[in-house]
Amino acid sequence: MRIGLTGGGSSVDKIVQQAQQAEADGFSALWYASAVAGDPLVAMAIAGRATARIELGTAVLQTYPCHPLLQANRVVAAANAMGRPGLVLGLGPSHEPVVRGVLGMSYDHPARNTEEYLSIVSGLLRGEQVDFDGAYWSTHSGGRTVTAEHPVPVLLSALSPRMLSIAGRLADGVVLWMASATAIADRIAPALRSAAGSDRPPPRIVAGLPVAVHDDVTAARESVAATSSSYAGMANYRRIIQAGGGVDPADIAIVGNETSVHRQLTGLLEAGATEVWAQPVAVGVDRAERVDSIRRTRTLLSELAREG
């Protein structure tokens, strides 16, 4: 089973140590939010040089604040500095409270904006010269691009039907957060594969969810709720959670004992996911219990990852 973890750390040294340990434990990938280390790409490049096989992906870099030509060049620079295949670019338009509320930018028509952006970035990462004038983005790249020494796959943070269509046509797949097995089977996998058609490789579907191995399911869901309140307040996440049969993140998190969590993870793959992105959640009222819950969760995930 291909299982990745959430990447991060309070320093570059700790980010490197985490990547080395995750690789040694059999995990296939680490996924870094845009705020890791201020900007994750430099730390990812350093961690990539200190490892041999594990994928290091962004989940996700925001599109709105960064011109696609600049985005492509900075990603290629990081991938080349990494010195081996394995850097994956996860992109997404983020959310209106961030783009409009924090950055002070327009969030009008995010799907149209993303389609133009992805058209440009994916072409640049393939080494093409891009001449594009759109409603939102324009790029004339001749002589202004960095050549990638290794392929850089592009995944889109896509949850809505329109975004899934864009991902199927223009990206290598999707990186999801808060999409349950039900949402993947009923909404995401069929739409993505239909848009990709038969002429493209089957798209990757990275299914990201909180995971907690614990015997007290109620306590586990309470811990997920306590650490996931920000997602419940964002419209895109609310819609995909509801499509998956839940009301808030705790409803669709993967929680339970080892047997139950194994069954739920397998269910994600049976629903159409190609791999899992797990975010272990600590459960308990004291430090010892919380540490033990993380140990149990990581041990199970590592065992399943090593099975291949």
Side-chain angles (χ1 to χ4, degrees):
M1 186 180 296
R2 284 180 56 82
I3 299 178
L5 300 175
T6 298
S10 58
S11 69
V12 173
D13 286 343
K14 290 184 177 180
I15 290 171
V16 171
Q17 291 167 9
Q18 182 203 39
Q20 292 172 324
Q21 188 63 57
E23 182 171 84
D25 290 342
F27 292 104
S28 62
L30 287 171
W31 298 98
Y32 300 85
S34 61
V36 170
D39 182 318
L41 288 174
V42 171
M44 289 168 62
I46 295 171
R49 296 185 71 87
T51 51
R53 298 174 304 280
I54 191 168
E55 279 192 330
L56 305 176
T58 59
V60 295
L61 294 186
Q62 300 165 338
T63 57
Y64 277 94
C66 186
H67 189 278
L69 177 58
L70 173 60
Q71 189 85 277
N73 277 343
R74 61 195 286 263
V75 169
V76 170
N80 289 350
M82 187 166 152
R84 64 171 179 85
L87 192 144
V88 180
L89 173 60
L91 281 174
S94 190
H95 305 271
E96 185 169 13
V98 176
V99 176
R100 197 185 301 276
V102 176
L103 303 177
M105 303 177 71
S106 170
Y107 196 70
D108 296 339
H109 308 297
R112 297 181 200 170
N113 192 300
T114 300
E115 184 168 14
E116 291 187 5
Y117 196 100
L118 192 56
S119 296
I120 295 168
V121 167
S122 58
L124 293 172
L125 291 178
R126 289 192 299 267
E128 301 170 1
Q129 179 172 312
V130 174
D131 288 294
F132 183 91
D133 290 298
Y136 303 97
W137 299 102
S138 295
T139 297
H140 302 280
S141 67
R144 298 176 177 85
T145 57
V146 180
T147 301
E149 297 170 3
H150 305 284
V152 178
V154 181
L155 305 180
L156 185 63
S157 176
L159 299 173
S160 71
R162 176 72 184 278
M163 292 287 281
L164 289 166
S165 174
I166 294 167
R169 291 182 285 108
L170 298 175
D172 297 296
V174 294
V175 55
L176 309 173
W177 185 242
M178 294 294 170
S180 69
T182 298
I184 292 170
D186 293 349
R187 172 180 294 197
I188 291 169
L192 184 66
R193 289 169 180 163
S194 175
S198 59
D199 296 333
R200 306 191 69 210
R204 291 176 62 174
I205 300 177
V206 181
L209 285 168
V211 179
V213 175
H214 199 275
D215 297 323
D216 189 335
V217 171
T218 299
R221 294 201 188 281
E222 289 174 351
S223 293
V224 172
T227 57
S228 303
S229 58
S230 62
Y231 303 117
M234 294 183 178
N236 293 343
Y237 289 132
R238 285 200 307 272
R239 284 192 289 267
I240 199 64
I241 289 168
Q242 291 168 0
V247 175
D248 57 43
D251 294 332
I252 49 87
I254 293 180
V255 300
N257 62 22
E258 282 81 357
T259 300
S260 177
V261 168
H262 185 183
R263 183 174 61 251
Q264 292 173 69
L265 292 172
T266 301
L268 286 173
L269 302 183
E270 292 173 345
T274 58
E275 53 215 274
V276 173
W277 159 26
Q279 180 165 296
V281 176
V283 182
V285 296
D286 57 44
R287 185 177 185 278
E289 186 181 5
R290 293 170 66 82
V291 169
D292 184 63
S293 72
I294 288 290
R295 178 194 60 77
R296 285 179 66 183
T297 301
R298 189 179 175 100
T299 297
L300 175 65
L301 293 172
S302 176
E303 290 172 353
L304 296 177
R306 289 179 186 277
E307 290 177 0

